[in-house]
Amino acid sequence: MSEPSEDIMEATFRALCEHGYAALTMRDIAAEADRSKASLHYHYESKQGLMLAFLDHLFEHFTDRVGSFDPAGDPDAQLRAFVDEILHPPGEDTTREFRTALLEIKAQAPYDEAFRERLTAFDEHIRENVRAAVAAGVDRGVYRDDVDPEAVARFVLTLADGAQSRHVVAGADPDDAMAVFESYVESRLLADREVSA
């Protein structure tokens, strides 16, 4: 079997934005890619197989875009930039539609181990990099010595999930979530600030 081409992945993105996951068909993706349905089935036996490949494709682009923690850099600046990238994906014209489709895909995860494994990879990348940045910040005295890097990572994951849901359901601006994170850093993490009761 040959490797799928970039145009199939781009077509899948456009079709997801237009139709959502539940209503999406292989025919929709084939139409977006200007290919026959049979040519898609050459690469994938089913819609699920194509979506798993698409999630792998997304993960590769996601990790390239948000990057990884660099121990030689400023941990606080890197943490803030990393979270900002997570909360503000590119493609503002299709962001809400695509986030809606991703929520539909996430809803499949409890019932599909392959979806769950791929979605977990996104969370693990976020968790590992937030944890590393915060631990470095604590070690260097940028963050308070009682800050728990794992707890901060859980907070960021929860914030990102909530921001995605609120953006889809209520049209909330991701800037609002970023403002919450900035306030959290300023009031709870920075070493030169007192934690309020």
Side-chain angles (χ1 to χ4, degrees):
M1 182 181 298
S2 63
E3 289 298 313
S5 61
E6 186 74 17
D7 72 303
I8 294 177
M9 297 295 101
E10 291 174 359
T12 302
F13 174 84
R14 292 191 302 271
L16 273 169
C17 290
E18 183 175 348
H19 302 284
Y21 175 76
L24 184 68
T25 66
M26 294 288 273
R27 189 177 307 282
D28 295 327
I29 297 168
E32 285 289 342
D34 198 23
R35 291 174 176 242
S36 68
K37 186 178 169 186
S39 72
L40 287 187
H41 281 290
Y42 175 77
H43 296 293
Y44 312 101
E45 290 184 11
S46 65
K47 170 180 156 180
Q48 185 204 29
L50 190 151
M51 294 311 304
L52 292 174
F54 181 66
L55 286 173
D56 290 339
H57 172 81
L58 278 185
F59 181 72
E60 182 179 333
H61 282 266
F62 173 76
T63 55
D64 285 348
R65 180 174 62 82
V66 302
S68 295
F69 175 67
D70 176 5
D74 177 343
D76 183 57
Q78 286 189 72
L79 178 64
R80 293 178 197 239
F82 185 78
V83 172
D84 191 55
E85 284 290 337
I86 292 165
L87 296 176
H88 294 92
E92 291 300 319
D93 54 334
T94 56
T95 295
R96 189 169 184 189
E97 292 83 0
F98 186 60
R99 285 186 171 190
T100 301
L102 278 182
L103 280 181
E104 291 181 276
I105 292 170
K106 286 182 177 182
Q108 307 305 309
Y111 314 103
D112 189 308
E113 185 177 351
F115 276 141
R116 188 164 56 251
E117 287 174 358
R118 282 159 174 85
L119 292 168
T120 298
F122 287 86
D123 284 356
E124 283 305 309
H125 185 77
I126 294 169
R127 179 181 287 112
E128 288 170 10
N129 284 281
V130 169
R131 190 169 46 211
V134 174
V138 171
D139 288 346
R140 297 180 199 177
V142 175
Y143 297 142
R144 298 167 53 92
D145 59 11
D146 61 347
V147 168
D148 178 358
E150 182 61 36
V152 179
R154 288 194 302 268
F155 174 78
V156 170
L157 285 168
T158 302
L159 180 69
D161 282 344
Q164 178 183 8
S165 296
R166 287 191 42 74
H167 183 67
V168 168
V169 174
D173 190 331
D175 286 345
D176 296 341
M178 190 62 199
V180 168
F181 180 70
E182 292 282 1
S183 176
Y184 175 80
V185 171
E186 297 290 331
S187 64
R188 298 285 176 177
L189 303 188
L190 290 179
D192 59 350
R193 302 295 172 93
E194 291 296 323
V195 176
S196 57

